[in-house]
Amino acid sequence: MAKPKEAAVTSYKALTYLHLPVIEKDYKPGDPVPVEELEAAGQSEDSINALVEAGSLGGEEDDVHHSHIIPDPSMPTIGSVVENSRRLIAQLEATGEEVPDELRTVAKLDYTALATGDEGKAGDANA
Amino acid sequence: MTQMLNSDTLRHQTVWVCEKWSDEACDFAAKKLERVGITHVPAELREIQTPTRTLLVPRLMPIYEGIPSSVLREIVGEPEECAEIQGNLLLNEGIQRLQDMTMIATVVTNQTATNPWSNANAFTGVGDSNTAEAATQTELQAATNRFYKAQNATYPSRTNQTVSFQSDFTGTEANYAWAEWTISASATTASGAGFTTGTTNLNRKVASLGTKASGTWTLTAQITFS
């Protein structure tokens, strides 16, 4: 977010779920967060800047954080696009029609899910 | 098609209990142990890799490095001070880890089905920043003063719908203002008997628990889902 001019800022917009200490108040993504409430919660200019820079607070024109956008259950996945491409190729080939190269490229995509580890490592360094 | 989204509520509540034993109480316990010839006491559990298996064994801590809460309870009794604070904010990465581990068909690249908040892998982290809780945060907000400690033996534990986490911060550990705290799955960047970086943080709470300068402080988090 381009930070609004200092003097003009009277309220921010919550871009994620927020909880202010001291006044113990919750905010949902999209809720206005008045500067006076941030100050009442003991948030210094540095803390407010940190929240802005991290994308937790923004201006009215800013979108809420992408993690709070509920996906449409019917939206295509990589897997469904690849499967549909393969089905379409089979249909085109069965009818003797030309199959575009782009369609073959998509159909060849390897979308196999990967097992991932975690970069973190627990344990006692002094052991 | 018009999609109608009804919002149900997953309720969770967290109670944080901070028990504080002073340096004098720790010294008293250390001297009493020394008189009967005990120089080390069992502290947090750690993983030991053998050629055939992974073992969890307690770290043997010198009594003048610190005294764990289990020993203090036996020798000194109840803590001199006990603070209870309610509430926290679940962080997105913690919610996603809960979901990854329990309700996905296949692990894909941005997901992981390992590293739960188990005894060997859960950490209680404490820092000195009072920056507000935000769900997109992935770490304590303190720039330098933050410390993650392993769980005490038998933690985390579950009773009904409540899971309890508990860690002892002894002697020289986390000696600064306790303004924020969290539960993390895994931690990195070793510092003494703990770490300074949480990997996947479940939640974060901001409130003042006082300033630790010495002694043993025990932080317990009880998270209830309903």
Side-chain angles (χ1 to χ4, degrees), chain A residues 17 43 114 116 118 121 123-124, chain B residues 59 97 111 130 132 187 195:
Chain A
Y17 287 94
Q43 297 300 291
L114 299 175
T116 63
D118 201 341
K121 180 65 185 158
D124 183 356
Chain B
R59 179 174 72 94
R97 175 62 59 86
Q111 300 170 345
N130 74 339
F195 297 85

Side-chain angles (χ1 to χ4, degrees), chain B residues 19-125:
Chain B
E19 299 168 292
K20 305 176 183 178
W21 283 273
S22 67
D23 208 22
E24 289 74 25
C26 294
D27 281 348
F28 173 79
K31 284 179 180 141
K32 200 157 183 178
L33 290 166
E34 197 173 34
R35 276 202 292 275
V36 295
I38 297 173
T39 58
H40 290 70
V41 288
E44 72 280 355
L45 297 179
R46 63 195 170 110
E47 281 186 357
I48 297 288
Q49 300 283 348
T50 73
T52 55
R53 68 179 78 175
T54 301
L55 298 174
L56 282 175
V57 297
R59 179 174 72 94
L60 286 178
M61 179 167 61
I63 55 175
Y64 284 104
E65 181 187 315
I67 306 291
S69 59
S70 56
V71 175
L72 286 163
R73 264 181 236 284
E74 278 194 33
I75 296 178
V76 179
E78 291 305 302
E80 292 136 302
E81 190 182 336
C82 185
E84 182 178 304
I85 289 181
Q86 299 202 12
N88 75 153
L89 187 71
L90 289 181
L91 304 184
N92 289 344
E93 68 169 7
I95 296 169
Q96 290 162 12
R97 175 62 59 86
L98 287 172
Q99 293 169 327
D100 285 356
M101 297 195 63
T102 55
M103 50 183 91
I104 56 172
T106 310
V107 176
V108 295
T109 49
N110 65 338
Q111 300 170 345
T112 179
T114 58
N115 285 357
W117 288 272
S118 60
N119 177 273
N121 206 46
F123 290 80
T124 307

Side-chain angles (χ1 to χ4, degrees), chain B:
Chain B
M1 180 183 83
T2 303
Q3 189 184 348
M4 300 294 290
L5 287 176
N6 292 318
S7 178
D8 296 324
T9 302
L10 169 67
R11 295 196 306 170
H12 85 284
Q13 61 184 65
T14 302
V15 177
W16 304 84
V17 178
C18 183
E19 299 168 292
K20 305 176 183 178
W21 283 273
S22 67
D23 208 22
E24 289 74 25
C26 294
D27 281 348
F28 173 79
K31 284 179 180 141
K32 200 157 183 178
L33 290 166
E34 197 173 34
R35 276 202 292 275
V36 295
I38 297 173
T39 58
H40 290 70
V41 288
E44 72 280 355
L45 297 179
R46 63 195 170 110
E47 281 186 357
I48 297 288
Q49 300 283 348
T50 73
T52 55
R53 68 179 78 175
T54 301
L55 298 174
L56 282 175
V57 297
R59 179 174 72 94
L60 286 178
M61 179 167 61
I63 55 175
Y64 284 104
E65 181 187 315
I67 306 291
S69 59
S70 56
V71 175
L72 286 163
R73 264 181 236 284
E74 278 194 33
I75 296 178
V76 179
E78 291 305 302
E80 292 136 302
E81 190 182 336
C82 185
E84 182 178 304
I85 289 181
Q86 299 202 12
N88 75 153
L89 187 71
L90 289 181
L91 304 184
N92 289 344
E93 68 169 7
I95 296 169
Q96 290 162 12
R97 175 62 59 86
L98 287 172
Q99 293 169 327
D100 285 356
M101 297 195 63
T102 55
M103 50 183 91
I104 56 172
T106 310
V107 176
V108 295
T109 49
N110 65 338
Q111 300 170 345
T112 179
T114 58
N115 285 357
W117 288 272
S118 60
N119 177 273
N121 206 46
F123 290 80
T124 307
V126 175
D128 70 351
S129 167
N130 74 339
T131 296
E133 303 152 28
T136 49
Q137 289 163 347
T138 57
E139 178 58 284
L140 290 169
Q141 298 299 289
T144 53
N145 283 337
R146 56 177 202 255
F147 188 77
Y148 286 82
K149 189 70 187 288
Q151 297 296 293
N152 289 345
T154 77
Y155 288 90
S157 62
R158 182 187 62 76
T159 302
N160 295 332
Q161 290 77 252
T162 299
V163 176
S164 298
F165 296 82
Q166 186 185 85
S167 297
D168 285 345
F169 295 79
T170 59
T172 58
E173 295 171 350
N175 283 344
Y176 41 74
W178 284 27
E180 57 173 339
W181 51 91
T182 182
I183 302 296
S184 171
S186 195
T188 57
T189 316
S191 172
F195 297 85
T196 60
T197 304
T199 302
T200 305
N201 294 64
L202 174 63
N203 57 0
R204 182 169 171 263
K205 176 62 183 173
V206 174
S208 175
L209 279 173
T211 299
K212 181 177 181 292
S214 59
T216 295
W217 285 20
T218 302
L219 187 58
T220 304
Q222 292 185 294
I223 303 176
T224 302
F225 289 96
S226 60

Side-chain angles (χ1 to χ4, degrees), chain A residues 1-82:
Chain A
M1 168 211 175
K3 198 178 175 198
K5 288 186 173 60
E6 298 293 333
V9 178
T10 56
S11 182
Y12 290 91
K13 175 177 163 185
L15 304 182
T16 184
Y17 287 94
L18 280 177
H19 178 86
L20 292 185
V22 184
I23 63 172
E24 302 294 344
K25 189 170 176 184
D26 292 313
Y27 302 85
K28 298 191 299 295
D31 283 351
V33 184
V35 169
E36 60 184 26
E37 292 184 1
L38 287 163
E39 290 172 349
Q43 297 300 291
S44 64
E45 194 173 333
D46 284 347
S47 292
I48 295 171
N49 286 340
L51 290 166
V52 170
E53 284 166 18
S56 304
L57 283 179
E60 191 53 44
E61 73 281 7
D62 289 319
D63 293 330
V64 298
H65 192 270
H66 61 81
S67 63
H68 299 297
I69 298 170
I70 298 173
D72 184 336
S74 61
M75 67 190 286
T77 63
I78 294 173
S80 67
V81 169
V82 172

